[in-house]
Amino acid sequence: MESRSYSMTETTLSTKMTYSPTQRAKMKKRGNTCNNNQLSEEPQVRVAVVGESSVGKSALSVRFLARRFLPEYAPAQELLYERQVAVDGHLIPLVVHDTASQVSSPSSIFQADGVLVLYSITNKRSFDTAKSYLEIIATEPGFENLPTVLVGHKSDLQHLRQVAYTHAQQLAWDVGCSFYEVSSESGTESVDHVFHTLIRQVLASRQRRKLSSTKDRRQRSNSITSTLWRKTRAAILEKLRRSTL
Ligand SMILES: Nc1nc2c(ncn2[C@@H]2O[C@H](COP(=O)(O)OP(=O)(O)OP(=O)(O)O)[C@@H](O)[C@H]2O)c(=O)[nH]1
């Protein structure tokens, strides 16, 4: 795989962000914690953006990370973007993998903590491809409970719509993932919402795993304690029995 890590200073992607007063005010408005010192550092979150060619994977990634629209279509090789983002008081080192993967070998998904499955609402075939990705995520071993969001992209092109909203909604419902229609052309808000939703799902899933492993440890330790207690009790009873002989 050819991949590049962009640096924010060169291409406005990938840096450790510190926030200006204006940015902090905006983050506060969006519900994010606004003080760098109050943000808790989290482990890296890796997001794979998958979907058929030309559905707008690069446009969506760049809209979220660099707040601008890519009007030109330049078929891209795989790219990795790195940046820190603030979500709900957590400072997340985010890696966005703008993929060129084939549905038949979705290796990028194996390395991801969460997946955005894109199709264009103007292209029925891209919806079928998205469906194939969702089927793989739902059925392949190793992808159990992988946080996933289905994204109907280019929602500004309503007059060219080929995929009904309700059709996609039903698919998302069937496989148990979130679903949004968004446009990278129209602005940042809906695109932010998609990424933030996925990041929240990744954090929640990590939290669940942590809790269940703590529960397992506690159960194991309880069973060790009760075995020890049974042995100690037996030893005491034996001592008492001997002393009364
Ligand atoms: N109208 C509209 N056009 C969009 C939108 N998102 C992307 N495009 C356009 O769709 C074309 C393809 O976008 P890309 O981001 O290059 O698509 P891609 O999925 O990365 O394509 P590959 O690199 O071939 O995989 C570009 O001309 C974009 O400007 C959108 O939300 N609305």
Side-chain angles (χ1 to χ4, degrees), residues 51-60 69-77 98-100 118 153-157 182-186:
E52 192 160 286
S53 174
S54 184
V55 292
K57 297 180 294 293
S58 303
L60 189 91
F69 179 58
L70 284 182
E72 307 298 334
Y73 174 49
Q77 72 277 45
D98 174 3
T99 69
L118 258 64
H153 202 199
K154 309 193 185 184
S155 64
D156 54 297
L157 301 176
V182 305
S183 162
S184 292
E185 196 268 347
S186 303

Side-chain angles (χ1 to χ4, degrees), residues 2 22 84 94 113 117 132 137 195 199 219 243:
E2 188 179 349
T22 325
Q84 290 198 313
L94 180 71
D113 300 307
V117 179
S132 307
I137 293 169
F195 275 92
I199 290 168
Q219 273 169 354
S243 67

Side-chain angles (χ1 to χ4, degrees), residues 18-38:
T18 50
Y19 299 101
S20 69
T22 325
Q23 283 171 316
R24 287 177 191 189
K26 275 189 192 157
M27 286 158 68
K28 197 172 184 183
K29 208 167 136 203
R30 282 192 227 128
N32 297 329
T33 306
C34 62
N35 184 339
N36 284 335
N37 301 329
Q38 291 171 3

